[in-house]
Amino acid sequence: KTNLKNSILILIDESLTKDVDKDKKKTNQLVKEYLNDTVILIKIYKKKHGNMFDSILHGFDLLYPLCDYLITLDSDTIHKKNWINKLLETYEKTKLDFPNKNLLLSGFNTVTTNFHKVIEDKNDYIIKNSVGGCQLFFNKILYINFLRFVFISHKWDTNLVDNLKNNNGIVIATKPSVIDHIGIISSGHRKDNNNVYDKAIDF
């Protein structure tokens, strides 16, 4: 239900490359059937098992010559209808406050691990120590100059934040979150429904 006008969406599916079961076959079918007439849609089906950061790298390398901004999307996230507009608004407000900083923005404010602490709670956004990789937003110059090579590393989202901080960067999150991360087992961001700092609820 999101308005994806002026966007390019890349779905990269490797569900049939390893340990194929009914769920993965269903996922593959959902990707095949997915249509959205408000967006340029590209579907890539991997023949060989890789990983998430490998898929992100392939997707961004296709996108950055065509797009001003790049966004990661986890498959286990639910997004508000206006999430892209909110990311853009937050980015522009932060850029006014920090014109000389490299900005990494997340639409998900989680503090359920020691890494993702709030440094400062502003009126329009939150300055963070770090963010999880389930939803990130940044401009293509930042990707080319500072972020691209860290996507091939195992702890890519942690390395991404560390590299940003070493290059005059700042990490921020929207206020409130624009996504809800529903992956309980795999994400590490949520132990139970009562242990969530900021949850995207107005869908």
Side-chain angles (χ1 to χ4, degrees):
K1 296 179 180 179
T2 298
N3 177 10
L4 296 174
K5 193 168 88 172
N6 297 324
S7 300
I8 301 173
L9 177 63
I10 297 182
L11 300 178
I12 301 181
D13 177 41
E14 63 169 47
S15 56
L16 301 185
T17 62
K18 186 179 179 184
D19 303 326
V20 178
D21 56 20
K22 289 181 181 179
D23 285 344
K24 291 183 178 179
K25 288 179 181 177
K26 185 176 180 181
T27 298
N28 179 261
Q29 192 63 35
L30 287 170
V31 173
K32 285 180 178 177
E33 293 173 356
Y34 179 77
L35 296 173
N36 191 313
D37 59 7
T38 67
V39 67
I40 296 171
L41 180 62
I42 299 169
K43 300 178 185 182
I44 297 173
Y45 299 91
K46 284 188 173 180
K47 293 183 178 179
K48 194 173 180 182
H49 178 66
N51 45 53
M52 183 172 71
F53 47 87
D54 174 67
S55 294
I56 291 172
L57 186 66
H58 288 315
F60 282 170
D61 279 355
L62 285 172
L63 286 174
Y64 86 79
L66 307 170
C67 300
D68 293 323
Y69 301 102
L70 303 170
I71 307 173
T72 60
L73 298 175
D74 260 21
S75 57
D76 58 347
T77 51
I78 299 172
H79 294 246
K80 295 182 182 180
K81 292 179 183 179
N82 70 334
W83 67 281
I84 292 179
N85 288 339
K86 182 66 175 178
L87 286 168
L88 281 167
E89 289 170 10
T90 303
Y91 182 88
E92 288 166 1
K93 286 175 182 176
T94 312
K95 198 66 182 169
L96 289 174
D97 293 341
F98 300 95
N100 299 316
K101 291 281 190 180
N102 290 310
L103 300 181
L104 176 66
L105 170 63
S106 177
F108 183 51
N109 176 32
T110 177
V111 292
T112 54
T113 72
N114 290 329
F115 299 109
H116 306 318
K117 295 175 182 175
V118 172
I119 295 175
E120 189 174 354
D121 195 337
K122 298 275 198 178
N123 288 333
D124 299 311
Y125 56 87
I126 299 164
I127 301 176
K128 301 291 296 288
N129 178 62
S130 177
V131 288
C134 64
Q135 201 282 291
L136 300 175
F137 175 102
F138 42 86
N139 69 30
K140 68 178 178 182
I141 304 302
L142 189 67
Y143 174 69
I144 297 164
N145 290 341
F146 301 116
L147 304 184
R148 186 185 182 278
F149 76 94
V150 300
F151 278 109
I152 61 173
S153 58
H154 177 60
K155 294 183 178 180
W156 65 270
D157 49 350
T158 301
N159 294 336
L160 186 150
V161 169
D162 289 343
N163 188 44
L164 180 76
K165 288 179 178 178
N166 291 332
N167 288 282
N168 194 37
I170 187 171
V171 180
I172 54 178
T174 59
K175 185 180 179 181
S177 292
V178 296
I179 71 163
D180 191 7
H181 200 184
I182 62 174
I184 296 174
I185 296 174
S186 63
S187 72
H189 294 295
R190 178 169 305 158
K191 293 182 176 134
D192 56 62
N193 286 331
N194 297 317
N195 191 20
V196 181
Y197 179 76
D198 190 6
K199 185 177 176 182
I201 56 174
D202 54 337
F203 299 102

